[in-house]
Amino acid sequence: MNRKIGIIGGGQLGKMILDETNKMGITVSILDPSNESPCINLSKNFIQGDFKDYHTVLNFGLKHDIISYEIEHINVDALDELVRKGVEVQPAPEILRVIQDKNKQKSFFKKNSFPTSDFYYFKSKNVLLDYHKKNNINFPCVWKKTKFGYDGFGVKILKNENDLFDLPDSEMIIEDFVVFKKELAVIVAMNKNRDIKTYDTVEMEFDPDSNQVEFVISPANISEKINTIAKKTASDLAKKLNLVGLLAVEMFLTSDEKILINEIAPRPHNSGHFSIDACPTSQFKQYINTIINCELGETFHENCAVMINLVGEESHNGLVKYDNIDSIKDRKDIFIHIYGKKMTRPNRKMGHVTVICDNFDEAYKKAKKIKNIIKVKSY
Ligand code: ADP
């Protein structure tokens, strides 16, 4: 592998990609704005720079043969220019363009007959209020900012008309509220030869206060029929997008047992972290396999995995410490991953722990216990 690879974004996903590439002897450069990036000591070629800036991305990209990314909010015009100049950008910039805008993303699902909830697009708050005056929006419904939302920021459940008036002014979509039994996700990998591999469907449990993923359960407690439909939906999406890379597909399982796509991300994803310890090929290794067009690795796992996100406690800002982490560090069934971020703040993703057991009940019980004893605090 003597082609030069550059990855845009140097957060925890970048770190876990480098953990794999360093093992494989593949050199990867990273572009990230922070001098406290978790990647800074893992890449021999760490470039500090703003990935939203056209020239920074262009100059970084031109020094490489292959460019990829582990974050979505980057300058996509520069990626287009890199493709024109002969740099291989994977996943392709047009995929990122669709994903960066929730209106374009939902329109893509609808246009290609992928199941998703109905929605309307509004250019501004005034246009929305005007529409409501004439057509009476149904409540509850879901407001989403079309751009720059993440981890539930930029999403609000609207219960009544008053909630409409409280919204900020931005481009938005209003979606039908989905009554769901579970939130599911599938990670699918596809290389240039169009070989495809999916991981098991996982189930995501959210913290009701922060709206962030608290536990990821793999495999999900669903029927084989739903598992097959979810995996096929993810594969069909990857094919339709001509993906080279990974795609995380977040879905709802509705109360009447239907799958609706919520959103997609063209990169390794929090819902796939279990694969590091549970599967023969981690999502990060698989991601590299796709980018360098290697044969894809096996994705099955025989045990039950529960992944717990370690996030910053409320009202703790500053130098991080991990309360009680020593109590689990020697356990054979528990795998600790600390991302190496110096500073914690409320709800910041600082690490994760994966519990692996023979059965779900045991793994879930242990995961709950870990969630209660390991606390991410500041000094
Ligand atoms: P983000 O991109 O910030 O992660 P999502 O679109 O995933 O935002 O929404 C965050 C959460 O809001 C989802 O995980 C889900 O719990 C809830 N949600 C989103 N859309 C809907 C919907 N149409 N109906 C019901 N709940 C929804």
Side-chain angles (χ1 to χ4, degrees), residues 102 106 117 142 144 149-155 157 175-180 183 206 211 250 252 262-263:
K102 291 202 185 212
K106 292 278 286 185
S117 60
V142 183
K144 293 184 182 177
Y150 68 98
D151 282 351
F153 299 103
V155 175
I157 312 272
E175 281 182 17
D176 282 359
F177 180 80
V178 177
V179 182
F180 58 83
E183 296 197 53
F206 286 73
N211 215 5
E250 293 185 45
F252 299 118
N262 176 26
E263 62 170 357

PDB file of all heavy atoms in Angstrom, residues 102 106 117 142 144 149-155 157 175-180 183 206 211 250 252 262-263, ligand 1:
ATOM      1  N   LYS A 102     -30.609  17.681   5.374  1.00  0.00           N
ATOM      2  CA  LYS A 102     -31.668  16.700   5.686  1.00  0.00           C
ATOM      3  C   LYS A 102     -32.806  16.730   4.673  1.00  0.00           C
ATOM      4  O   LYS A 102     -33.483  15.718   4.474  1.00  0.00           O
ATOM      5  CB  LYS A 102     -32.192  16.916   7.102  1.00  0.00           C
ATOM      6  CG  LYS A 102     -31.141  16.539   8.141  1.00  0.00           C
ATOM      7  CD  LYS A 102     -31.695  16.224   9.511  1.00  0.00           C
ATOM      8  CE  LYS A 102     -30.522  15.993  10.447  1.00  0.00           C
ATOM      9  NZ  LYS A 102     -30.711  15.059  11.503  1.00  0.00           N
ATOM     10  N   LYS A 106     -33.763  13.281   2.811  1.00  0.00           N
ATOM     11  CA  LYS A 106     -35.123  12.700   2.834  1.00  0.00           C
ATOM     12  C   LYS A 106     -35.689  12.641   1.407  1.00  0.00           C
ATOM     13  O   LYS A 106     -36.388  11.682   1.057  1.00  0.00           O
ATOM     14  CB  LYS A 106     -36.041  13.538   3.724  1.00  0.00           C
ATOM     15  CG  LYS A 106     -35.707  13.499   5.202  1.00  0.00           C
ATOM     16  CD  LYS A 106     -36.265  12.286   5.924  1.00  0.00           C
ATOM     17  CE  LYS A 106     -37.750  12.381   6.140  1.00  0.00           C
ATOM     18  NZ  LYS A 106     -38.230  11.224   6.956  1.00  0.00           N
ATOM     19  N   SER A 117     -40.435   8.482   6.833  1.00  0.00           N
ATOM     20  CA  SER A 117     -41.661   9.214   7.191  1.00  0.00           C
ATOM     21  C   SER A 117     -41.865  10.384   6.224  1.00  0.00           C
ATOM     22  O   SER A 117     -40.911  10.897   5.638  1.00  0.00           O
ATOM     23  CB  SER A 117     -41.545   9.734   8.620  1.00  0.00           C
ATOM     24  OG  SER A 117     -40.433  10.596   8.707  1.00  0.00           O
ATOM     25  N   VAL A 142     -42.094  16.509  14.020  1.00  0.00           N
ATOM     26  CA  VAL A 142     -40.681  16.663  14.378  1.00  0.00           C
ATOM     27  C   VAL A 142     -40.040  17.736  13.504  1.00  0.00           C
ATOM     28  O   VAL A 142     -40.139  17.683  12.268  1.00  0.00           O
ATOM     29  CB  VAL A 142     -39.915  15.324  14.214  1.00  0.00           C
ATOM     30  CG1 VAL A 142     -38.462  15.472  14.645  1.00  0.00           C
ATOM     31  CG2 VAL A 142     -40.587  14.221  15.016  1.00  0.00           C
ATOM     32  N   LYS A 144     -36.658  19.559  12.185  1.00  0.00           N
ATOM     33  CA  LYS A 144     -35.214  19.327  12.034  1.00  0.00           C
ATOM     34  C   LYS A 144     -34.607  20.446  11.207  1.00  0.00           C
ATOM     35  O   LYS A 144     -35.126  20.779  10.137  1.00  0.00           O
ATOM     36  CB  LYS A 144     -34.941  17.979  11.339  1.00  0.00           C
ATOM     37  CG  LYS A 144     -35.341  16.788  12.176  1.00  0.00           C
ATOM     38  CD  LYS A 144     -34.979  15.461  11.546  1.00  0.00           C
ATOM     39  CE  LYS A 144     -35.458  14.325  12.433  1.00  0.00           C
ATOM     40  NZ  LYS A 144     -35.213  12.999  11.885  1.00  0.00           N
ATOM     41  N   GLY A 149     -26.918  19.886  12.049  1.00  0.00           N
ATOM     42  CA  GLY A 149     -27.397  19.246  13.279  1.00  0.00           C
ATOM     43  C   GLY A 149     -26.490  18.067  13.603  1.00  0.00           C
ATOM     44  O   GLY A 149     -25.816  17.547  12.732  1.00  0.00           O
ATOM     45  N   TYR A 150     -26.424  17.666  14.856  1.00  0.00           N
ATOM     46  CA  TYR A 150     -25.698  16.443  15.223  1.00  0.00           C
ATOM     47  C   TYR A 150     -26.137  16.014  16.613  1.00  0.00           C
ATOM     48  O   TYR A 150     -26.528  16.857  17.428  1.00  0.00           O
ATOM     49  CB  TYR A 150     -24.169  16.643  15.189  1.00  0.00           C
ATOM     50  CG  TYR A 150     -23.674  17.577  16.270  1.00  0.00           C
ATOM     51  CD1 TYR A 150     -23.152  17.087  17.468  1.00  0.00           C
ATOM     52  CD2 TYR A 150     -23.773  18.947  16.120  1.00  0.00           C
ATOM     53  CE1 TYR A 150     -22.734  17.942  18.471  1.00  0.00           C
ATOM     54  CE2 TYR A 150     -23.369  19.808  17.120  1.00  0.00           C
ATOM     55  CZ  TYR A 150     -22.845  19.305  18.284  1.00  0.00           C
ATOM     56  OH  TYR A 150     -22.462  20.155  19.286  1.00  0.00           O
ATOM     57  N   ASP A 151     -26.084  14.681  16.850  1.00  0.00           N
ATOM     58  CA  ASP A 151     -26.408  14.112  18.164  1.00  0.00           C
ATOM     59  C   ASP A 151     -27.670  14.712  18.782  1.00  0.00           C
ATOM     60  O   ASP A 151     -27.718  14.999  19.975  1.00  0.00           O
ATOM     61  CB  ASP A 151     -25.238  14.326  19.132  1.00  0.00           C
ATOM     62  CG  ASP A 151     -24.111  13.337  18.874  1.00  0.00           C
ATOM     63  OD1 ASP A 151     -24.325  12.408  18.069  1.00  0.00           O
ATOM     64  OD2 ASP A 151     -23.030  13.498  19.472  1.00  0.00           O
ATOM     65  N   GLY A 152     -28.682  14.941  17.978  1.00  0.00           N
ATOM     66  CA  GLY A 152     -29.948  15.432  18.517  1.00  0.00           C
ATOM     67  C   GLY A 152     -30.035  16.946  18.627  1.00  0.00           C
ATOM     68  O   GLY A 152     -31.116  17.488  18.886  1.00  0.00           O
ATOM     69  N   PHE A 153     -28.912  17.679  18.413  1.00  0.00           N
ATOM     70  CA  PHE A 153     -28.999  19.139  18.386  1.00  0.00           C
ATOM     71  C   PHE A 153     -29.537  19.506  17.007  1.00  0.00           C
ATOM     72  O   PHE A 153     -29.019  19.043  16.007  1.00  0.00           O
ATOM     73  CB  PHE A 153     -27.626  19.800  18.608  1.00  0.00           C
ATOM     74  CG  PHE A 153     -27.036  19.459  19.939  1.00  0.00           C
ATOM     75  CD1 PHE A 153     -26.023  18.522  20.048  1.00  0.00           C
ATOM     76  CD2 PHE A 153     -27.521  20.060  21.094  1.00  0.00           C
ATOM     77  CE1 PHE A 153     -25.491  18.183  21.279  1.00  0.00           C
ATOM     78  CE2 PHE A 153     -26.990  19.723  22.330  1.00  0.00           C
ATOM     79  CZ  PHE A 153     -25.979  18.789  22.425  1.00  0.00           C
ATOM     80  N   GLY A 154     -30.579  20.337  16.979  1.00  0.00           N
ATOM     81  CA  GLY A 154     -31.174  20.643  15.680  1.00  0.00           C
ATOM     82  C   GLY A 154     -32.361  19.736  15.392  1.00  0.00           C
ATOM     83  O   GLY A 154     -32.813  19.659  14.251  1.00  0.00           O
ATOM     84  N   VAL A 155     -32.851  19.035  16.430  1.00  0.00           N
ATOM     85  CA  VAL A 155     -34.058  18.197  16.306  1.00  0.00           C
ATOM     86  C   VAL A 155     -34.962  18.498  17.504  1.00  0.00           C
ATOM     87  O   VAL A 155     -34.475  18.577  18.632  1.00  0.00           O
ATOM     88  CB  VAL A 155     -33.701  16.689  16.338  1.00  0.00           C
ATOM     89  CG1 VAL A 155     -34.956  15.820  16.339  1.00  0.00           C
ATOM     90  CG2 VAL A 155     -32.807  16.310  15.169  1.00  0.00           C
ATOM     91  N   ILE A 157     -39.116  17.670  19.060  1.00  0.00           N
ATOM     92  CA  ILE A 157     -40.482  17.148  18.895  1.00  0.00           C
ATOM     93  C   ILE A 157     -41.420  18.328  19.199  1.00  0.00           C
ATOM     94  O   ILE A 157     -41.306  18.946  20.274  1.00  0.00           O
ATOM     95  CB  ILE A 157     -40.774  16.007  19.905  1.00  0.00           C
ATOM     96  CG1 ILE A 157     -39.634  14.987  19.925  1.00  0.00           C
ATOM     97  CG2 ILE A 157     -42.152  15.393  19.674  1.00  0.00           C
ATOM     98  CD1 ILE A 157     -39.640  13.857  19.002  1.00  0.00           C
ATOM     99  N   GLU A 175     -41.205  16.709   9.958  1.00  0.00           N
ATOM    100  CA  GLU A 175     -41.474  15.296   9.647  1.00  0.00           C
ATOM    101  C   GLU A 175     -42.675  14.800  10.439  1.00  0.00           C
ATOM    102  O   GLU A 175     -42.903  15.253  11.568  1.00  0.00           O
ATOM    103  CB  GLU A 175     -40.309  14.423  10.130  1.00  0.00           C
ATOM    104  CG  GLU A 175     -39.114  14.395   9.260  1.00  0.00           C
ATOM    105  CD  GLU A 175     -38.043  13.450   9.829  1.00  0.00           C
ATOM    106  OE1 GLU A 175     -38.317  12.587  10.692  1.00  0.00           O
ATOM    107  OE2 GLU A 175     -36.904  13.621   9.403  1.00  0.00           O
ATOM    108  N   ASP A 176     -43.360  13.816   9.884  1.00  0.00           N
ATOM    109  CA  ASP A 176     -44.382  13.109  10.670  1.00  0.00           C
ATOM    110  C   ASP A 176     -43.699  12.480  11.876  1.00  0.00           C
ATOM    111  O   ASP A 176     -42.592  11.960  11.764  1.00  0.00           O
ATOM    112  CB  ASP A 176     -45.007  11.975   9.842  1.00  0.00           C
ATOM    113  CG  ASP A 176     -46.015  12.502   8.849  1.00  0.00           C
ATOM    114  OD1 ASP A 176     -46.224  13.735   8.830  1.00  0.00           O
ATOM    115  OD2 ASP A 176     -46.568  11.678   8.086  1.00  0.00           O
ATOM    116  N   PHE A 177     -44.368  12.513  13.010  1.00  0.00           N
ATOM    117  CA  PHE A 177     -43.848  11.851  14.208  1.00  0.00           C
ATOM    118  C   PHE A 177     -44.048  10.344  14.054  1.00  0.00           C
ATOM    119  O   PHE A 177     -45.153   9.880  13.773  1.00  0.00           O
ATOM    120  CB  PHE A 177     -44.601  12.373  15.446  1.00  0.00           C
ATOM    121  CG  PHE A 177     -44.127  11.753  16.718  1.00  0.00           C
ATOM    122  CD1 PHE A 177     -42.975  12.218  17.328  1.00  0.00           C
ATOM    123  CD2 PHE A 177     -44.823  10.699  17.302  1.00  0.00           C
ATOM    124  CE1 PHE A 177     -42.515  11.644  18.500  1.00  0.00           C
ATOM    125  CE2 PHE A 177     -44.372  10.119  18.475  1.00  0.00           C
ATOM    126  CZ  PHE A 177     -43.216  10.595  19.079  1.00  0.00           C
ATOM    127  N   VAL A 178     -42.966   9.599  14.221  1.00  0.00           N
ATOM    128  CA  VAL A 178     -43.040   8.140  14.062  1.00  0.00           C
ATOM    129  C   VAL A 178     -43.229   7.497  15.439  1.00  0.00           C
ATOM    130  O   VAL A 178     -42.435   7.755  16.355  1.00  0.00           O
ATOM    131  CB  VAL A 178     -41.743   7.590  13.424  1.00  0.00           C
ATOM    132  CG1 VAL A 178     -41.781   6.069  13.323  1.00  0.00           C
ATOM    133  CG2 VAL A 178     -41.512   8.216  12.058  1.00  0.00           C
ATOM    134  N   VAL A 179     -44.280   6.689  15.584  1.00  0.00           N
ATOM    135  CA  VAL A 179     -44.438   5.938  16.832  1.00  0.00           C
ATOM    136  C   VAL A 179     -43.636   4.653  16.658  1.00  0.00           C
ATOM    137  O   VAL A 179     -43.990   3.804  15.849  1.00  0.00           O
ATOM    138  CB  VAL A 179     -45.930   5.605  17.094  1.00  0.00           C
ATOM    139  CG1 VAL A 179     -46.090   4.862  18.415  1.00  0.00           C
ATOM    140  CG2 VAL A 179     -46.750   6.886  17.082  1.00  0.00           C
ATOM    141  N   PHE A 180     -42.504   4.598  17.364  1.00  0.00           N
ATOM    142  CA  PHE A 180     -41.627   3.449  17.120  1.00  0.00           C
ATOM    143  C   PHE A 180     -41.441   2.592  18.366  1.00  0.00           C
ATOM    144  O   PHE A 180     -41.548   3.061  19.497  1.00  0.00           O
ATOM    145  CB  PHE A 180     -40.272   3.892  16.555  1.00  0.00           C
ATOM    146  CG  PHE A 180     -39.501   4.865  17.430  1.00  0.00           C
ATOM    147  CD1 PHE A 180     -38.729   4.411  18.475  1.00  0.00           C
ATOM    148  CD2 PHE A 180     -39.548   6.236  17.174  1.00  0.00           C
ATOM    149  CE1 PHE A 180     -38.007   5.294  19.269  1.00  0.00           C
ATOM    150  CE2 PHE A 180     -38.834   7.129  17.967  1.00  0.00           C
ATOM    151  CZ  PHE A 180     -38.059   6.665  19.014  1.00  0.00           C
ATOM    152  N   GLU A 183     -35.227   1.807  18.001  1.00  0.00           N
ATOM    153  CA  GLU A 183     -34.377   2.468  17.012  1.00  0.00           C
ATOM    154  C   GLU A 183     -33.268   1.483  16.655  1.00  0.00           C
ATOM    155  O   GLU A 183     -32.585   0.949  17.540  1.00  0.00           O
ATOM    156  CB  GLU A 183     -33.802   3.764  17.561  1.00  0.00           C
ATOM    157  CG  GLU A 183     -34.921   4.772  17.842  1.00  0.00           C
ATOM    158  CD  GLU A 183     -34.423   6.197  17.990  1.00  0.00           C
ATOM    159  OE1 GLU A 183     -33.713   6.689  17.102  1.00  0.00           O
ATOM    160  OE2 GLU A 183     -34.772   6.812  19.006  1.00  0.00           O
ATOM    161  N   PHE A 206     -31.609   5.273  23.796  1.00  0.00           N
ATOM    162  CA  PHE A 206     -31.205   6.665  23.993  1.00  0.00           C
ATOM    163  C   PHE A 206     -31.433   7.114  25.426  1.00  0.00           C
ATOM    164  O   PHE A 206     -32.378   6.666  26.085  1.00  0.00           O
ATOM    165  CB  PHE A 206     -32.003   7.590  23.053  1.00  0.00           C
ATOM    166  CG  PHE A 206     -31.535   7.497  21.626  1.00  0.00           C
ATOM    167  CD1 PHE A 206     -31.819   6.377  20.846  1.00  0.00           C
ATOM    168  CD2 PHE A 206     -30.794   8.508  21.057  1.00  0.00           C
ATOM    169  CE1 PHE A 206     -31.376   6.273  19.541  1.00  0.00           C
ATOM    170  CE2 PHE A 206     -30.347   8.421  19.741  1.00  0.00           C
ATOM    171  CZ  PHE A 206     -30.648   7.299  18.985  1.00  0.00           C
ATOM    172  N   ASN A 211     -30.845  12.828  24.874  1.00  0.00           N
ATOM    173  CA  ASN A 211     -31.174  12.367  23.521  1.00  0.00           C
ATOM    174  C   ASN A 211     -29.970  11.745  22.800  1.00  0.00           C
ATOM    175  O   ASN A 211     -29.940  11.671  21.581  1.00  0.00           O
ATOM    176  CB  ASN A 211     -31.750  13.525  22.693  1.00  0.00           C
ATOM    177  CG  ASN A 211     -32.820  13.021  21.735  1.00  0.00           C
ATOM    178  OD1 ASN A 211     -33.168  11.836  21.770  1.00  0.00           O
ATOM    179  ND2 ASN A 211     -33.317  13.895  20.894  1.00  0.00           N
ATOM    180  N   GLU A 250     -29.558   4.525  10.100  1.00  0.00           N
ATOM    181  CA  GLU A 250     -30.381   4.545  11.316  1.00  0.00           C
ATOM    182  C   GLU A 250     -31.839   4.411  10.908  1.00  0.00           C
ATOM    183  O   GLU A 250     -32.298   5.102   9.996  1.00  0.00           O
ATOM    184  CB  GLU A 250     -30.169   5.849  12.083  1.00  0.00           C
ATOM    185  CG  GLU A 250     -28.776   5.972  12.658  1.00  0.00           C
ATOM    186  CD  GLU A 250     -28.623   7.223  13.516  1.00  0.00           C
ATOM    187  OE1 GLU A 250     -29.514   7.520  14.332  1.00  0.00           O
ATOM    188  OE2 GLU A 250     -27.598   7.916  13.341  1.00  0.00           O
ATOM    189  N   PHE A 252     -36.131   3.304  12.195  1.00  0.00           N
ATOM    190  CA  PHE A 252     -37.131   3.065  13.236  1.00  0.00           C
ATOM    191  C   PHE A 252     -37.823   1.744  12.928  1.00  0.00           C
ATOM    192  O   PHE A 252     -38.121   1.470  11.758  1.00  0.00           O
ATOM    193  CB  PHE A 252     -38.209   4.158  13.220  1.00  0.00           C
ATOM    194  CG  PHE A 252     -37.687   5.548  13.484  1.00  0.00           C
ATOM    195  CD1 PHE A 252     -37.811   6.550  12.531  1.00  0.00           C
ATOM    196  CD2 PHE A 252     -37.083   5.854  14.699  1.00  0.00           C
ATOM    197  CE1 PHE A 252     -37.338   7.832  12.779  1.00  0.00           C
ATOM    198  CE2 PHE A 252     -36.609   7.124  14.949  1.00  0.00           C
ATOM    199  CZ  PHE A 252     -36.734   8.119  13.987  1.00  0.00           C
ATOM    200  N   ASN A 262     -34.429   6.617   9.219  1.00  0.00           N
ATOM    201  CA  ASN A 262     -34.362   7.952   9.829  1.00  0.00           C
ATOM    202  C   ASN A 262     -33.283   8.768   9.132  1.00  0.00           C
ATOM    203  O   ASN A 262     -33.575   9.773   8.501  1.00  0.00           O
ATOM    204  CB  ASN A 262     -34.107   7.841  11.331  1.00  0.00           C
ATOM    205  CG  ASN A 262     -33.944   9.199  11.984  1.00  0.00           C
ATOM    206  OD1 ASN A 262     -34.473  10.200  11.480  1.00  0.00           O
ATOM    207  ND2 ASN A 262     -33.216   9.263  13.076  1.00  0.00           N
ATOM    208  N   GLU A 263     -32.039   8.319   9.231  1.00  0.00           N
ATOM    209  CA  GLU A 263     -30.969   9.062   8.554  1.00  0.00           C
ATOM    210  C   GLU A 263     -29.776   8.158   8.299  1.00  0.00           C
ATOM    211  O   GLU A 263     -29.678   7.066   8.865  1.00  0.00           O
ATOM    212  CB  GLU A 263     -30.556  10.290   9.364  1.00  0.00           C
ATOM    213  CG  GLU A 263     -29.992   9.952  10.720  1.00  0.00           C
ATOM    214  CD  GLU A 263     -29.371  11.161  11.406  1.00  0.00           C
ATOM    215  OE1 GLU A 263     -29.324  12.252  10.822  1.00  0.00           O
ATOM    216  OE2 GLU A 263     -28.908  10.990  12.543  1.00  0.00           O
TER     217      GLU A 263
HETATM  218  P1  ADP B   1     -29.301  13.736  14.678  1.00  0.00           P
HETATM  219  O1  ADP B   1     -28.916  13.861  13.252  1.00  0.00           O
HETATM  220  O2  ADP B   1     -29.041  14.974  15.447  1.00  0.00           O
HETATM  221  O3  ADP B   1     -28.779  12.482  15.332  1.00  0.00           O
HETATM  222  P2  ADP B   1     -31.889  12.413  14.313  1.00  0.00           P
HETATM  223  O4  ADP B   1     -32.579  12.665  13.034  1.00  0.00           O
HETATM  224  O5  ADP B   1     -31.192  11.095  14.453  1.00  0.00           O
HETATM  225  O6  ADP B   1     -30.893  13.619  14.658  1.00  0.00           O
HETATM  226  O7  ADP B   1     -32.925  12.557  15.508  1.00  0.00           O
HETATM  227  C1  ADP B   1     -32.543  12.409  16.871  1.00  0.00           C
HETATM  228  C2  ADP B   1     -33.571  11.547  17.610  1.00  0.00           C
HETATM  229  O8  ADP B   1     -34.871  12.169  17.558  1.00  0.00           O
HETATM  230  C3  ADP B   1     -33.787  10.168  16.975  1.00  0.00           C
HETATM  231  O9  ADP B   1     -32.805   9.258  17.414  1.00  0.00           O
HETATM  232  C4  ADP B   1     -35.185   9.840  17.483  1.00  0.00           C
HETATM  233  O10 ADP B   1     -35.156   9.384  18.834  1.00  0.00           O
HETATM  234  C5  ADP B   1     -35.901  11.180  17.440  1.00  0.00           C
HETATM  235  N1  ADP B   1     -36.599  11.339  16.143  1.00  0.00           N
HETATM  236  C6  ADP B   1     -36.062  11.805  14.993  1.00  0.00           C
HETATM  237  N2  ADP B   1     -36.967  11.824  14.001  1.00  0.00           N
HETATM  238  C7  ADP B   1     -38.120  11.356  14.519  1.00  0.00           C
HETATM  239  C8  ADP B   1     -39.432  11.128  13.983  1.00  0.00           C
HETATM  240  N3  ADP B   1     -39.746  11.436  12.735  1.00  0.00           N
HETATM  241  N4  ADP B   1     -40.384  10.637  14.827  1.00  0.00           N
HETATM  242  C9  ADP B   1     -40.088  10.343  16.134  1.00  0.00           C
HETATM  243  N5  ADP B   1     -38.888  10.550  16.701  1.00  0.00           N
HETATM  244  C10 ADP B   1     -37.893  11.049  15.905  1.00  0.00           C
END
